[in-house]
Amino acid sequence: MDTVTKRLEEAEQREERMLQSVTPDTAFYKEPVPDSGTASDAVSAAEEEREIPGQSEANSFIVKNALEYIRENSQEKLRLVDVAEQVYVSQWHLSKLLNKHTGKTFSDILNSARMEKARELLKDPSLRIYDVAEMVGFQDLAHFSRVFKKMEGMSANEYRNTQT
């Protein structure tokens, strides 16, 4: 067994032990399983797994706070740098942590939060779709429509019609 494979197996075992100790309210932070890439990718992954004791909990805390801030402020013009400042890390580090812990990019997380609010608002027939788009943080109706259709599999109007 070569060193890289051994390191990867050790990292997976540490991750499994960590995931078994996760409380139910943080269970959705499970890290995605890395795909098998090149040997240099495996070495990089194994090196990333070498963490200082307690660092994983700190990283989860940062991610939890960042996700909460995104949900609470998704209707604003929110940028990665704004969220990073709120949780006191660099935008590069936050981007890496979000991707590692959720398997999603910042844009995907922000759009998911916005779509969650949009689905609720679309239940109110007195609101125009343009108003809903603005209320959830989109300045452009066309962009809102594209994102909504991509994430929900139907247009906002079609979604609204299924809710009544």
Side-chain angles (χ1 to χ4, degrees):
M1 181 180 295
D2 65 352
T3 307
V4 173
T5 306
K6 185 175 179 181
R7 283 185 178 175
L8 285 174
E9 285 180 0
E10 289 171 354
E12 287 173 357
Q13 289 171 353
R14 280 194 308 272
E15 178 181 349
E16 193 60 39
R17 285 192 305 272
M18 181 187 79
L19 289 175
Q20 290 172 351
S21 67
V22 173
T23 59
D25 62 328
T26 59
F28 65 94
Y29 293 122
K30 182 178 179 186
E31 298 173 16
V33 177
D35 62 351
S36 55
T38 65
S40 63
D41 291 339
V43 169
S44 296
E47 288 173 353
E48 284 180 15
E49 285 296 325
R50 271 190 248 138
E51 294 181 348
I52 300 166
Q55 184 176 9
S56 182
E57 292 84 10
N59 288 344
S60 291
F61 180 75
I62 291 168
V63 171
K64 180 181 175 188
N65 287 338
L67 291 173
E68 184 177 319
Y69 183 80
I70 292 168
R71 279 189 209 103
E72 290 174 359
N73 297 282
S74 62
Q75 72 282 359
E76 305 295 328
K77 183 175 167 69
L78 204 56
R79 301 171 305 155
L80 178 63
V81 67
D82 301 325
V83 180
E85 286 175 3
Q86 286 295 315
V87 295
Y88 306 104
V89 296
S90 72
Q91 63 184 13
W92 177 85
H93 186 62
L94 179 60
S95 177
K96 191 170 177 113
L97 286 176
L98 288 172
N99 197 291
K100 182 178 179 184
H101 286 263
T102 68
K104 296 180 179 179
T105 66
F106 169 75
S107 296
D108 290 340
I109 294 167
L110 178 59
N111 285 335
S112 293
R114 287 177 170 171
M115 291 303 110
E116 186 176 321
K117 289 181 181 180
R119 286 190 305 270
E120 286 301 310
L121 293 170
L122 285 168
K123 293 177 182 175
D124 181 355
S126 67
L127 293 173
R128 295 178 302 169
I129 292 178
Y130 176 80
D131 295 329
V132 171
E134 276 191 341
M135 292 168 80
V136 299
F138 286 89
Q139 280 99 35
D140 180 32
L141 178 61
H143 183 58
F144 169 78
S145 297
R146 277 191 304 275
V147 172
F148 192 94
K149 187 159 190 162
K150 178 182 175 190
M151 295 186 78
E152 302 301 323
M154 64 180 80
S155 72
N157 202 36
E158 290 170 332
Y159 179 84
R160 171 177 271 167
N161 292 336
T162 64
Q163 299 303 305
T164 55

